[in-house]
PDB file of all heavy atoms in Angstrom:
ATOM      1  N   TYR A 347     102.586 111.109 119.167  1.00  0.00           N
ATOM      2  CA  TYR A 347     101.609 111.008 118.094  1.00  0.00           C
ATOM      3  C   TYR A 347     100.185 110.931 118.613  1.00  0.00           C
ATOM      4  O   TYR A 347      99.823 109.939 119.271  1.00  0.00           O
ATOM      5  CB  TYR A 347     101.895 109.832 117.153  1.00  0.00           C
ATOM      6  CG  TYR A 347     100.895 109.720 116.048  1.00  0.00           C
ATOM      7  CD1 TYR A 347     100.840 110.648 115.045  1.00  0.00           C
ATOM      8  CD2 TYR A 347      99.928 108.709 116.045  1.00  0.00           C
ATOM      9  CE1 TYR A 347      99.877 110.600 114.028  1.00  0.00           C
ATOM     10  CE2 TYR A 347      98.983 108.617 115.046  1.00  0.00           C
ATOM     11  CZ  TYR A 347      98.966 109.575 114.028  1.00  0.00           C
ATOM     12  OH  TYR A 347      97.981 109.527 113.039  1.00  0.00           O
ATOM     13  N   MET A 348      99.374 111.920 118.289  1.00  0.00           N
ATOM     14  CA  MET A 348      97.951 111.967 118.655  1.00  0.00           C
ATOM     15  C   MET A 348      97.800 111.608 120.126  1.00  0.00           C
ATOM     16  O   MET A 348      98.400 112.148 120.994  1.00  0.00           O
ATOM     17  CB  MET A 348      97.129 111.031 117.731  1.00  0.00           C
ATOM     18  CG  MET A 348      97.191 111.426 116.265  1.00  0.00           C
ATOM     19  SD  MET A 348      96.279 112.924 115.929  1.00  0.00           S
ATOM     20  CE  MET A 348      96.536 113.100 114.184  1.00  0.00           C
ATOM     21  N   THR A 349      96.899 110.618 120.384  1.00  0.00           N
ATOM     22  CA  THR A 349      96.622 110.224 121.766  1.00  0.00           C
ATOM     23  C   THR A 349      97.269 108.900 122.131  1.00  0.00           C
ATOM     24  O   THR A 349      97.005 108.338 123.180  1.00  0.00           O
ATOM     25  CB  THR A 349      95.068 110.103 121.976  1.00  0.00           C
ATOM     26  OG1 THR A 349      94.572 109.122 121.064  1.00  0.00           O
ATOM     27  CG2 THR A 349      94.351 111.410 121.742  1.00  0.00           C
ATOM     28  N   THR A 350      98.198 108.423 121.282  1.00  0.00           N
ATOM     29  CA  THR A 350      98.790 107.106 121.521  1.00  0.00           C
ATOM     30  C   THR A 350      99.800 107.133 122.638  1.00  0.00           C
ATOM     31  O   THR A 350     100.063 106.109 123.236  1.00  0.00           O
ATOM     32  CB  THR A 350      99.484 106.598 120.257  1.00  0.00           C
ATOM     33  OG1 THR A 350     100.560 107.495 119.930  1.00  0.00           O
ATOM     34  CG2 THR A 350      98.528 106.517 119.079  1.00  0.00           C
ATOM     35  N   GLY A 351     100.406 108.280 122.913  1.00  0.00           N
ATOM     36  CA  GLY A 351     101.480 108.379 123.880  1.00  0.00           C
ATOM     37  C   GLY A 351     102.797 107.898 123.333  1.00  0.00           C
ATOM     38  O   GLY A 351     103.821 107.872 124.051  1.00  0.00           O
ATOM     39  N   VAL A 352     102.830 107.472 122.070  1.00  0.00           N
ATOM     40  CA  VAL A 352     104.071 107.033 121.409  1.00  0.00           C
ATOM     41  C   VAL A 352     104.855 108.210 120.909  1.00  0.00           C
ATOM     42  O   VAL A 352     104.258 109.112 120.251  1.00  0.00           O
ATOM     43  CB  VAL A 352     103.755 106.044 120.245  1.00  0.00           C
ATOM     44  CG1 VAL A 352     105.023 105.598 119.567  1.00  0.00           C
ATOM     45  CG2 VAL A 352     102.969 104.860 120.755  1.00  0.00           C
ATOM     46  N   PRO A 353     106.143 108.328 121.172  1.00  0.00           N
ATOM     47  CA  PRO A 353     106.943 109.432 120.626  1.00  0.00           C
ATOM     48  C   PRO A 353     106.779 109.524 119.114  1.00  0.00           C
ATOM     49  O   PRO A 353     106.814 108.499 118.414  1.00  0.00           O
ATOM     50  CB  PRO A 353     108.370 109.096 121.006  1.00  0.00           C
ATOM     51  CG  PRO A 353     108.236 108.277 122.253  1.00  0.00           C
ATOM     52  CD  PRO A 353     106.965 107.451 122.044  1.00  0.00           C
ATOM     53  N   LEU A 354     106.595 110.727 118.597  1.00  0.00           N
ATOM     54  CA  LEU A 354     106.357 110.921 117.183  1.00  0.00           C
ATOM     55  C   LEU A 354     107.416 110.268 116.300  1.00  0.00           C
ATOM     56  O   LEU A 354     107.076 109.610 115.304  1.00  0.00           O
ATOM     57  CB  LEU A 354     106.240 112.445 116.871  1.00  0.00           C
ATOM     58  CG  LEU A 354     106.025 112.782 115.381  1.00  0.00           C
ATOM     59  CD1 LEU A 354     104.627 112.404 114.959  1.00  0.00           C
ATOM     60  CD2 LEU A 354     106.311 114.242 115.127  1.00  0.00           C
ATOM     61  N   LEU A 355     108.681 110.493 116.623  1.00  0.00           N
ATOM     62  CA  LEU A 355     109.757 109.992 115.764  1.00  0.00           C
ATOM     63  C   LEU A 355     109.786 108.433 115.823  1.00  0.00           C
ATOM     64  O   LEU A 355     110.088 107.797 114.801  1.00  0.00           O
ATOM     65  CB  LEU A 355     111.087 110.554 116.178  1.00  0.00           C
ATOM     66  CG  LEU A 355     111.221 112.095 116.063  1.00  0.00           C
ATOM     67  CD1 LEU A 355     112.602 112.572 116.379  1.00  0.00           C
ATOM     68  CD2 LEU A 355     110.775 112.587 114.670  1.00  0.00           C
ATOM     69  N   ALA A 356     109.478 107.851 116.968  1.00  0.00           N
ATOM     70  CA  ALA A 356     109.409 106.401 117.039  1.00  0.00           C
ATOM     71  C   ALA A 356     108.285 105.858 116.182  1.00  0.00           C
ATOM     72  O   ALA A 356     108.420 104.878 115.473  1.00  0.00           O
ATOM     73  CB  ALA A 356     109.253 105.963 118.487  1.00  0.00           C
ATOM     74  N   PHE A 357     107.124 106.525 116.247  1.00  0.00           N
ATOM     75  CA  PHE A 357     105.982 106.118 115.452  1.00  0.00           C
ATOM     76  C   PHE A 357     106.291 106.272 113.954  1.00  0.00           C
ATOM     77  O   PHE A 357     105.947 105.412 113.133  1.00  0.00           O
ATOM     78  CB  PHE A 357     104.756 106.979 115.798  1.00  0.00           C
ATOM     79  CG  PHE A 357     103.505 106.566 115.129  1.00  0.00           C
ATOM     80  CD1 PHE A 357     102.818 105.423 115.527  1.00  0.00           C
ATOM     81  CD2 PHE A 357     102.954 107.335 114.083  1.00  0.00           C
ATOM     82  CE1 PHE A 357     101.641 105.033 114.895  1.00  0.00           C
ATOM     83  CE2 PHE A 357     101.771 106.932 113.446  1.00  0.00           C
ATOM     84  CZ  PHE A 357     101.098 105.791 113.863  1.00  0.00           C
ATOM     85  N   TRP A 358     107.015 107.357 113.591  1.00  0.00           N
ATOM     86  CA  TRP A 358     107.400 107.514 112.196  1.00  0.00           C
ATOM     87  C   TRP A 358     108.310 106.373 111.726  1.00  0.00           C
ATOM     88  O   TRP A 358     108.087 105.837 110.637  1.00  0.00           O
ATOM     89  CB  TRP A 358     108.174 108.872 112.036  1.00  0.00           C
ATOM     90  CG  TRP A 358     108.563 109.149 110.610  1.00  0.00           C
ATOM     91  CD1 TRP A 358     107.831 109.840 109.683  1.00  0.00           C
ATOM     92  CD2 TRP A 358     109.739 108.668 109.961  1.00  0.00           C
ATOM     93  NE1 TRP A 358     108.504 109.846 108.481  1.00  0.00           N
ATOM     94  CE2 TRP A 358     109.683 109.152 108.617  1.00  0.00           C
ATOM     95  CE3 TRP A 358     110.849 107.916 110.324  1.00  0.00           C
ATOM     96  CZ2 TRP A 358     110.682 108.892 107.669  1.00  0.00           C
ATOM     97  CZ3 TRP A 358     111.827 107.653 109.397  1.00  0.00           C
ATOM     98  CH2 TRP A 358     111.743 108.125 108.098  1.00  0.00           C
ATOM     99  N   VAL A 359     109.304 106.000 112.513  1.00  0.00           N
ATOM    100  CA  VAL A 359     110.207 104.928 112.104  1.00  0.00           C
ATOM    101  C   VAL A 359     109.438 103.610 111.903  1.00  0.00           C
ATOM    102  O   VAL A 359     109.683 102.893 110.927  1.00  0.00           O
ATOM    103  CB  VAL A 359     111.354 104.766 113.135  1.00  0.00           C
ATOM    104  CG1 VAL A 359     112.154 103.515 112.845  1.00  0.00           C
ATOM    105  CG2 VAL A 359     112.249 105.953 113.157  1.00  0.00           C
ATOM    106  N   PHE A 360     108.537 103.311 112.820  1.00  0.00           N
ATOM    107  CA  PHE A 360     107.727 102.115 112.687  1.00  0.00           C
ATOM    108  C   PHE A 360     106.935 102.115 111.387  1.00  0.00           C
ATOM    109  O   PHE A 360     106.907 101.155 110.632  1.00  0.00           O
ATOM    110  CB  PHE A 360     106.823 101.977 113.911  1.00  0.00           C
ATOM    111  CG  PHE A 360     105.950 100.748 113.903  1.00  0.00           C
ATOM    112  CD1 PHE A 360     106.537  99.491 113.994  1.00  0.00           C
ATOM    113  CD2 PHE A 360     104.570 100.845 113.889  1.00  0.00           C
ATOM    114  CE1 PHE A 360     105.748  98.334 113.983  1.00  0.00           C
ATOM    115  CE2 PHE A 360     103.772  99.701 113.893  1.00  0.00           C
ATOM    116  CZ  PHE A 360     104.365  98.441 113.943  1.00  0.00           C
ATOM    117  N   GLN A 361     106.220 103.225 111.126  1.00  0.00           N
ATOM    118  CA  GLN A 361     105.388 103.346 109.939  1.00  0.00           C
ATOM    119  C   GLN A 361     106.190 103.410 108.655  1.00  0.00           C
ATOM    120  O   GLN A 361     105.728 102.973 107.591  1.00  0.00           O
ATOM    121  CB  GLN A 361     104.412 104.513 110.065  1.00  0.00           C
ATOM    122  CG  GLN A 361     103.441 104.394 111.206  1.00  0.00           C
ATOM    123  CD  GLN A 361     102.488 103.190 111.060  1.00  0.00           C
ATOM    124  OE1 GLN A 361     102.322 102.640 109.974  1.00  0.00           O
ATOM    125  NE2 GLN A 361     101.882 102.773 112.141  1.00  0.00           N
ATOM    126  N   PHE A 362     107.381 103.958 108.715  1.00  0.00           N
ATOM    127  CA  PHE A 362     108.286 103.976 107.580  1.00  0.00           C
ATOM    128  C   PHE A 362     108.551 102.547 107.079  1.00  0.00           C
ATOM    129  O   PHE A 362     108.562 102.286 105.859  1.00  0.00           O
ATOM    130  CB  PHE A 362     109.602 104.666 107.907  1.00  0.00           C
ATOM    131  CG  PHE A 362     110.803 104.229 107.144  1.00  0.00           C
ATOM    132  CD1 PHE A 362     110.928 104.562 105.793  1.00  0.00           C
ATOM    133  CD2 PHE A 362     111.816 103.492 107.750  1.00  0.00           C
ATOM    134  CE1 PHE A 362     112.055 104.193 105.078  1.00  0.00           C
ATOM    135  CE2 PHE A 362     112.919 103.090 107.040  1.00  0.00           C
ATOM    136  CZ  PHE A 362     113.017 103.428 105.694  1.00  0.00           C
ATOM    137  N   ALA A 363     108.741 101.595 107.995  1.00  0.00           N
ATOM    138  CA  ALA A 363     109.007 100.223 107.616  1.00  0.00           C
ATOM    139  C   ALA A 363     107.822  99.628 106.821  1.00  0.00           C
ATOM    140  O   ALA A 363     108.001  98.858 105.887  1.00  0.00           O
ATOM    141  CB  ALA A 363     109.291  99.367 108.835  1.00  0.00           C
ATOM    142  N   PHE A 364     106.602 100.009 107.186  1.00  0.00           N
ATOM    143  CA  PHE A 364     105.433  99.536 106.489  1.00  0.00           C
ATOM    144  C   PHE A 364     105.403 100.121 105.069  1.00  0.00           C
ATOM    145  O   PHE A 364     105.103  99.373 104.099  1.00  0.00           O
ATOM    146  CB  PHE A 364     104.165  99.976 107.232  1.00  0.00           C
ATOM    147  CG  PHE A 364     103.806  99.109 108.413  1.00  0.00           C
ATOM    148  CD1 PHE A 364     104.672  99.020 109.486  1.00  0.00           C
ATOM    149  CD2 PHE A 364     102.604  98.410 108.443  1.00  0.00           C
ATOM    150  CE1 PHE A 364     104.317  98.251 110.595  1.00  0.00           C
ATOM    151  CE2 PHE A 364     102.280  97.617 109.505  1.00  0.00           C
ATOM    152  CZ  PHE A 364     103.118  97.548 110.608  1.00  0.00           C
ATOM    153  N   ALA A 365     105.646 101.399 104.976  1.00  0.00           N
ATOM    154  CA  ALA A 365     105.634 102.051 103.653  1.00  0.00           C
ATOM    155  C   ALA A 365     106.702 101.418 102.757  1.00  0.00           C
ATOM    156  O   ALA A 365     106.457 101.177 101.534  1.00  0.00           O
ATOM    157  CB  ALA A 365     105.899 103.546 103.792  1.00  0.00           C
ATOM    158  N   ASP A 366     107.876 101.150 103.291  1.00  0.00           N
ATOM    159  CA  ASP A 366     108.962 100.542 102.544  1.00  0.00           C
ATOM    160  C   ASP A 366     108.567  99.143 102.031  1.00  0.00           C
ATOM    161  O   ASP A 366     108.822  98.769 100.872  1.00  0.00           O
ATOM    162  CB  ASP A 366     110.171 100.455 103.438  1.00  0.00           C
ATOM    163  CG  ASP A 366     111.464 100.226 102.668  1.00  0.00           C
ATOM    164  OD1 ASP A 366     111.461 100.460 101.433  1.00  0.00           O
ATOM    165  OD2 ASP A 366     112.471  99.842 103.310  1.00  0.00           O
ATOM    166  N   THR A 367     107.880  98.407 102.895  1.00  0.00           N
ATOM    167  CA  THR A 367     107.436  97.065 102.517  1.00  0.00           C
ATOM    168  C   THR A 367     106.426  97.112 101.348  1.00  0.00           C
ATOM    169  O   THR A 367     106.532  96.355 100.396  1.00  0.00           O
ATOM    170  CB  THR A 367     106.810  96.342 103.724  1.00  0.00           C
ATOM    171  OG1 THR A 367     107.813  96.175 104.694  1.00  0.00           O
ATOM    172  CG2 THR A 367     106.171  95.014 103.354  1.00  0.00           C
ATOM    173  N   ALA A 368     105.451  98.040 101.406  1.00  0.00           N
ATOM    174  CA  ALA A 368     104.461  98.111 100.379  1.00  0.00           C
ATOM    175  C   ALA A 368     105.076  98.338  99.025  1.00  0.00           C
ATOM    176  O   ALA A 368     104.629  97.787  98.002  1.00  0.00           O
ATOM    177  CB  ALA A 368     103.443  99.241 100.705  1.00  0.00           C
ATOM    178  N   SER A 369     106.132  99.161  98.982  1.00  0.00           N
ATOM    179  CA  SER A 369     106.799  99.447  97.703  1.00  0.00           C
ATOM    180  C   SER A 369     107.644  98.299  97.212  1.00  0.00           C
ATOM    181  O   SER A 369     107.686  97.995  96.023  1.00  0.00           O
ATOM    182  CB  SER A 369     107.588 100.729  97.813  1.00  0.00           C
ATOM    183  OG  SER A 369     108.181 101.073  96.596  1.00  0.00           O
ATOM    184  N   THR A 370     108.331  97.630  98.138  1.00  0.00           N
ATOM    185  CA  THR A 370     109.264  96.540  97.725  1.00  0.00           C
ATOM    186  C   THR A 370     108.505  95.320  97.262  1.00  0.00           C
ATOM    187  O   THR A 370     109.010  94.579  96.412  1.00  0.00           O
ATOM    188  CB  THR A 370     110.177  96.205  98.924  1.00  0.00           C
ATOM    189  OG1 THR A 370     110.850  97.358  99.336  1.00  0.00           O
ATOM    190  CG2 THR A 370     111.191  95.164  98.516  1.00  0.00           C
ATOM    191  N   ILE A 371     107.298  95.099  97.755  1.00  0.00           N
ATOM    192  CA  ILE A 371     106.445  94.007  97.272  1.00  0.00           C
ATOM    193  C   ILE A 371     106.351  94.085  95.744  1.00  0.00           C
ATOM    194  O   ILE A 371     106.423  93.074  95.026  1.00  0.00           O
ATOM    195  CB  ILE A 371     105.020  94.105  97.854  1.00  0.00           C
ATOM    196  CG1 ILE A 371     105.045  93.705  99.373  1.00  0.00           C
ATOM    197  CG2 ILE A 371     104.027  93.224  97.102  1.00  0.00           C
ATOM    198  CD1 ILE A 371     103.756  94.044 100.111  1.00  0.00           C
ATOM    199  N   THR A 372     106.203  95.313  95.222  1.00  0.00           N
ATOM    200  CA  THR A 372     105.903  95.510  93.812  1.00  0.00           C
ATOM    201  C   THR A 372     107.043  95.044  92.920  1.00  0.00           C
ATOM    202  O   THR A 372     106.811  94.513  91.821  1.00  0.00           O
ATOM    203  CB  THR A 372     105.637  96.996  93.563  1.00  0.00           C
ATOM    204  OG1 THR A 372     104.669  97.468  94.522  1.00  0.00           O
ATOM    205  CG2 THR A 372     105.150  97.260  92.165  1.00  0.00           C
ATOM    206  N   SER A 373     108.279  95.221  93.371  1.00  0.00           N
ATOM    207  CA  SER A 373     109.429  94.893  92.516  1.00  0.00           C
ATOM    208  C   SER A 373     109.442  93.421  92.087  1.00  0.00           C
ATOM    209  O   SER A 373     109.903  93.072  91.003  1.00  0.00           O
ATOM    210  CB  SER A 373     110.733  95.279  93.213  1.00  0.00           C
ATOM    211  OG  SER A 373     110.862  94.477  94.413  1.00  0.00           O
ATOM    212  N   GLY A 374     108.909  92.533  92.950  1.00  0.00           N
ATOM    213  CA  GLY A 374     108.960  91.119  92.673  1.00  0.00           C
ATOM    214  C   GLY A 374     108.164  90.730  91.424  1.00  0.00           C
ATOM    215  O   GLY A 374     108.522  89.759  90.735  1.00  0.00           O
ATOM    216  N   ALA A 375     107.096  91.503  91.084  1.00  0.00           N
ATOM    217  CA  ALA A 375     106.275  91.137  89.941  1.00  0.00           C
ATOM    218  C   ALA A 375     106.800  91.703  88.640  1.00  0.00           C
ATOM    219  O   ALA A 375     106.340  91.335  87.564  1.00  0.00           O
ATOM    220  CB  ALA A 375     104.847  91.644  90.179  1.00  0.00           C
ATOM    221  N   MET A 376     107.776  92.629  88.720  1.00  0.00           N
ATOM    222  CA  MET A 376     108.243  93.312  87.523  1.00  0.00           C
ATOM    223  C   MET A 376     109.700  92.990  87.194  1.00  0.00           C
ATOM    224  O   MET A 376     110.317  93.621  86.332  1.00  0.00           O
ATOM    225  CB  MET A 376     108.094  94.852  87.705  1.00  0.00           C
ATOM    226  CG  MET A 376     106.677  95.246  88.032  1.00  0.00           C
ATOM    227  SD  MET A 376     106.318  96.992  87.795  1.00  0.00           S
ATOM    228  CE  MET A 376     107.381  97.708  89.010  1.00  0.00           C
ATOM    229  N   ILE A 377     110.211  91.909  87.832  1.00  0.00           N
ATOM    230  CA  ILE A 377     111.610  91.514  87.615  1.00  0.00           C
ATOM    231  C   ILE A 377     111.846  91.220  86.152  1.00  0.00           C
ATOM    232  O   ILE A 377     111.065  90.594  85.467  1.00  0.00           O
ATOM    233  CB  ILE A 377     111.887  90.246  88.463  1.00  0.00           C
ATOM    234  CG1 ILE A 377     112.002  90.633  89.950  1.00  0.00           C
ATOM    235  CG2 ILE A 377     113.135  89.536  88.009  1.00  0.00           C
ATOM    236  CD1 ILE A 377     112.016  89.439  90.879  1.00  0.00           C
TER     237      ILE A 377
END
Side-chain angles (χ1 to χ4, degrees):
Y347 179 68
M348 299 289 180
T349 59
T350 63
V352 179
L354 177 71
L355 300 184
F357 186 74
W358 182 92
V359 170
F360 181 64
Q361 295 299 341
F362 152 71
F364 280 63
D366 196 19
T367 295
S369 183
T370 304
I371 288 167
T372 310
S373 62
M376 303 196 297
I377 287 169

